[in-house]
Amino acid sequence: MTMPGADSSPVSPDRAFALVVGIEEYEVSHRWDLPGAARDALRFAGWLTGPAGVPPANVRLFLSPLASTPVDWGAAPPLAALEATHRPAVRENIEKALYQDLHSCDGDLLWIFWAGHGFLDAHRQMLLPYADATGEHLVHLNLESALRWWKSDNVRPTRFRLQAALVDACRVEAPRGIGTAEPGMGGAVPGRNQFTLYASREGEEAKNQAERGAGQFTDVLLQQLGAKTLDEGVQGLVEIARAMQDRFRELEEQNLGWQMPTFVRDRDWDGSSILVDDRFGIPRAPRIDQAAWDGLGELFSGRTLPDRAYDAYRYAFETAGCDVPTPFLPAAGLTEIVRDLDERQGRRTDLPLAVPFVRHLADGARQADPTWAAELEAWVASTGERLGVGAFPPPPATTGHTGLHVRLEEAGALEGGYRVTMWLHSGGFTNLWEPESPLDLDAVRLGLADQLVALSGGDGIPGGAPGRPPFRGVDRIEFDVPLELIDTDFESWKLPIGRMGKRRELGRLYEVVVRCPAERMGVSHGAWIQKWRWFMAQGGRHPEAVRALTDADVTEDLGYTLQGDDPPVCVLAEVSDPRLMDALDGVLDAGVPIAVWRRGGPPAPGGADGGLTQALTEECEVDVGRLPETLKRMRSTAPPIEEQPSWRHPLALLWDDPDCRPGSQSLS
């Protein structure tokens, strides 16, 4: 394996392509009007087709100007050919150009220039609304997702080795209703490099000079580009960006500018650091050497993503004193993930980000694959000694839950009721109770109450081995049920488990989930395992992890639709009561392990309702891994259902973890 690099050979203008967007008018509101953005896009296209020599046929130009500020095509004679081919900057036009038209072109360089509004979502990703964004549908381009797509093997490996995005837009908090939109990811392609420059830092607005009809960022950018040729502009992008930062410092001192153009990564086209002096005030992380890459080539050969791979990625940044840049892994392979880490800047000059990543992988593999774990630890030790890596804290220990597992199986027709087995799960499974005769649900309630009261009495686990950690009580109750009981409101059960036998509601004291492993049969079993493995590797914040369903989505083909890929791993079923079982049938057919729905279907019109997705997002960002505790918190604070019908209460959670289930045989 060799260290990643980039081909810095000159780019011919006829092998350069561009997506250029300028949006002044948005359907959502006249308050979004942004005079000058279309003119800025036209000015940049003028440099491309003028001094840079890019053929107009290679430029995809999208403008949505204000009626009060018509585009002056005569101001830029080289643009005459684009006057007939430019299109409105709406979603359909731009996405067709970006993901179909330009994707089919054979080029070396892709420019993306965008002038308009910009927002940061909860994951700090750059969202650029289209001109047809409305109050109900704030359609937008997720720029960072688009750049990941263009860097992946969705694009032929021999094409577009250089890609640059220049964005004259704010980077402020997104308004409600704007989220993420992700094209399908592919694997990263070695040797394909990207350069991204934003007009401002996170949380800053990008100044628009309405009186001049120009963005301050574009003004300074075009001053720096001047009469440069294409190759001078491309190879000199780093120096151009530095000069722009110096100019904005001058503007700030003169009280004329309050933004700072910002690099996304600290690497030049050839892979070298662009932070060569102290004027930016950001220390840079070193890169791993060839010996380290050779070792990883052997360690990663034939390996799929292990559990907690995203946790390892996040830990690398946290250890280096940085915020994690994305809520999901940047690639589908371990080698590509390390390439991404090696390009990032970090905040420690003695710690390549790849080292803590591999250290976390070793920690996670210690029980499941001790041989591989030892090999990974040896790599960390040798690389650390060779590169002078400083000390860093060990990965955080995984925190499991202590659960009471209640299995209900239908008894024979002559007996009626359910055969019941209860286990305590705390590191392993301990049998607690298995009555000889079937019970009805009322008797199950009483038996469960007895077990909960008994488990609250001390530090000892029944049947536990000496030396085990102290037992601190149950935090989750899992109901393993046949399909007919899946919508039973277990979380609303009131049991005499409080002081003096006071009845307390289960869902307000414990994480309450239902499970249906008996339905994971046939090909659905393999899909169930596959989806869970993806979830464990990618973590719970991946934008593709969750799929919201409405009644219109519940068709006979739902099981096929949901099973098509690794995600989704969680379904938010915003469906009416008559369609619920059909929706859950599709979930189980597809092997989806997690689902959330409201008992009784959506609340009546007029209730405090913004939809299930919004209800979960209001509590916290939708993190699938934290859903059990999120729903418990929502249940504990929700008003009585008769007072305020909403999506917030009562909510049911299907949580089918194939790694955490007792054996099929009795453990008594």
Side-chain angles (χ1 to χ4, degrees):
M1 182 182 296
T2 58
M3 292 183 290
D7 180 2
S8 59
S9 58
V11 178
S12 171
D14 62 358
R15 292 188 60 77
F17 292 80
L19 177 86
V20 181
V21 179
I23 307 177
E24 297 180 347
E25 185 174 41
Y26 295 82
E27 291 184 25
V28 62
S29 171
H30 68 86
R31 295 185 180 88
W32 283 41
D33 290 355
L34 197 63
R39 178 173 175 266
D40 285 344
L42 197 67
R43 292 161 68 203
F44 184 78
W47 174 78
L48 282 175
T49 56
V54 176
N58 290 11
V59 178
R60 309 299 185 262
L61 179 63
F62 301 95
L63 304 176
S64 289
L66 288 163
S68 59
T69 56
V71 175
D72 183 8
W73 295 95
L79 294 176
L82 289 177
E83 184 174 3
T85 60
H86 84 284
R87 295 289 183 267
V90 297
R91 179 180 186 175
E92 180 179 5
N93 292 344
I94 293 175
E95 292 190 358
K96 182 177 180 180
L98 187 60
Y99 296 120
Q100 297 180 36
D101 180 14
L102 290 169
H103 169 263
S104 66
C105 297
D106 185 10
D108 292 326
L109 169 68
L110 174 68
W111 285 96
I112 296 177
F113 177 89
W114 193 293
H117 285 296
F119 301 100
L120 291 178
D121 69 2
H123 306 307
R124 321 313 293 167
Q125 298 184 103
M126 188 64 159
L127 309 182
L128 303 171
Y130 300 114
D132 53 340
T134 66
E136 294 182 355
H137 302 286
L138 288 175
V139 290
H140 60 275
L141 177 70
N142 182 328
L143 179 64
E144 291 171 42
S145 169
L147 292 175
R148 285 189 295 273
W149 189 92
W150 268 90
K151 195 172 184 179
S152 75
D153 56 13
N154 289 301
V155 181
R156 290 187 183 179
T158 57
R159 295 179 178 176
F160 296 103
R161 56 186 170 84
L162 303 178
Q163 301 166 14
L166 308 175
V167 184
D168 193 350
C170 301
R171 299 178 74 197
V172 296
E173 183 177 352
R176 177 168 298 195
I178 188 168
T180 57
E182 295 274 341
M185 293 295 104
V189 173
R192 179 174 285 152
N193 278 259
Q194 293 179 335
F195 180 94
T196 308
L197 184 67
Y198 290 130
S200 61
R201 291 169 291 209
E202 289 189 5
E204 286 184 341
E205 295 183 352
K207 185 177 181 182
N208 184 57
Q209 302 165 311
E211 70 283 355
R212 295 185 56 239
Q216 197 170 50
F217 171 87
T218 301
D219 255 3
V220 177
L221 170 65
L222 291 175
Q223 290 169 16
Q224 294 299 322
L225 286 173
K228 287 183 171 64
T229 65
L230 177 69
D231 201 56
E232 289 171 340
V234 173
Q235 302 301 337
L237 264 180
V238 170
E239 290 306 320
I240 289 171
R242 284 178 173 150
M244 291 177 66
Q245 290 181 321
D246 289 341
R247 175 55 181 155
F248 272 94
R249 287 190 182 89
E250 294 174 0
L251 291 170
E252 185 174 7
E253 291 172 357
Q254 299 166 13
N255 206 31
L256 297 174
W258 302 273
Q259 68 195 65
M260 180 56 63
T262 304
F263 298 102
V264 172
R265 298 188 178 183
D266 77 329
R267 303 295 173 186
D268 201 346
W269 297 121
D270 63 357
S272 61
S273 175
I274 62 178
L275 302 176
V276 295
D277 54 41
D278 295 331
R279 59 178 159 168
F280 298 103
I282 302 175
R284 62 183 183 274
R287 307 186 81 165
I288 58 175
D289 59 9
Q290 186 62 56
W293 280 109
D294 291 342
L296 290 179
E298 297 179 6
L299 288 171
F300 290 168
S301 178
R303 293 277 176 177
T304 58
L305 289 180
D307 288 355
R308 302 178 64 213
Y310 178 74
D311 290 347
Y313 183 74
R314 183 179 62 223
Y315 163 74
F317 289 96
E318 292 173 346
T319 302
C322 304
D323 291 331
V324 62
T326 71
F328 45 85
L329 292 170
L334 290 171
T335 299
E336 290 75 19
I337 294 170
V338 172
R339 283 198 180 97
D340 176 86
L341 289 168
D342 210 38
E343 292 175 0
R344 305 280 185 174
Q345 63 188 36
R347 290 188 183 275
R348 281 184 52 174
T349 57
D350 64 341
L351 185 65
L353 293 177
V355 173
F357 175 75
V358 176
R359 173 70 176 82
H360 195 290
L361 294 182
D363 202 61
R366 189 165 289 117
Q367 287 189 340
D369 193 343
T371 301
W372 192 50
E375 293 171 345
L376 292 170
E377 289 174 343
W379 181 93
V380 170
S382 61
T383 302
E385 182 178 358
R386 194 171 57 253
L387 300 183
V389 173
F392 56 93
T398 55
T399 55
H401 67 273
T402 300
L404 184 58
H405 189 97
V406 183
R407 176 181 290 171
L408 303 178
E409 299 176 287
E410 290 183 87
L414 296 178
E415 297 176 297
Y418 301 93
R419 295 197 175 276
V420 182
T421 313
M422 295 188 189
W423 291 272
L424 178 69
H425 176 257
S426 181
F429 282 93
T430 303
N431 181 264
L432 294 180
W433 187 50
E434 190 171 0
E436 295 182 359
S437 302
L439 305 177
D440 61 20
L441 291 185
D442 286 336
V444 174
R445 292 178 196 235
L446 295 176
L448 176 58
D450 290 342
Q451 296 303 321
L452 289 172
V453 170
L455 290 171
S456 66
D459 287 344
I461 299 178
R468 291 181 69 173
F471 174 63
R472 300 303 184 190
V474 171
D475 53 44
R476 182 180 299 176
I477 303 177
E478 300 185 341
F479 288 89
D480 178 342
V481 298
L483 185 58
E484 67 178 52
L485 295 180
I486 195 171
D487 196 34
T488 302
D489 58 344
F490 297 108
E491 70 283 342
S492 299
W493 278 9
K494 294 182 178 180
L495 304 184
I497 55 178
R499 59 184 180 83
M500 304 299 292
K502 184 177 180 180
R503 292 183 174 273
R504 305 295 302 279
E505 192 172 311
L506 280 186
R508 299 187 181 219
L509 295 178
Y510 306 98
E511 299 170 4
V512 177
V513 305
V514 294
R515 308 189 57 172
C516 227
E519 295 291 327
R520 311 292 187 172
M521 300 175 292
V523 295
S524 297
H525 184 272
W528 176 40
I529 302 300
Q530 178 182 349
K531 285 179 178 289
W532 189 265
R533 293 272 71 81
W534 183 92
F535 167 49
M536 293 301 294
Q538 293 282 354
R541 292 186 174 91
H542 195 292
E544 295 180 8
V546 179
R547 168 83 180 273
L549 297 181
T550 64
D551 280 0
D553 299 310
V554 183
T555 67
E556 292 183 358
D557 293 331
L558 179 60
Y560 297 108
T561 302
L562 296 175
Q563 187 174 319
D565 298 299
D566 293 340
V569 297
C570 174
V571 163
L572 306 182
E574 305 192 22
V575 299
S576 62
D577 198 39
R579 304 308 303 273
L580 175 61
M581 291 309 298
D582 290 334
L584 294 178
D585 275 339
V587 166
L588 294 169
D589 285 343
V592 176
I594 302 166
V596 183
W597 66 96
R598 183 182 182 276
R599 307 285 190 194
D609 169 34
L612 181 52
T613 304
Q614 181 176 319
L616 293 170
T617 306
E618 284 178 348
E619 189 71 18
C620 63
E621 61 180 346
V622 180
D623 180 351
V624 177
R626 297 175 64 89
L627 278 176
E629 60 186 272
T630 297
L631 266 66
K632 177 198 170 185
R633 186 165 58 251
M634 292 172 67
R635 291 162 179 160
S636 66
T637 59
I641 188 63
E642 60 271 11
E643 293 183 12
Q644 188 181 6
S646 74
W647 271 112
R648 298 179 64 82
H649 181 69
L651 294 179
L653 174 61
L654 172 69
W655 185 269
D656 238 339
D657 176 356
D659 295 334
C660 181
R661 49 183 174 149
S664 58
Q665 300 299 318
S666 169
L667 299 181
S668 59

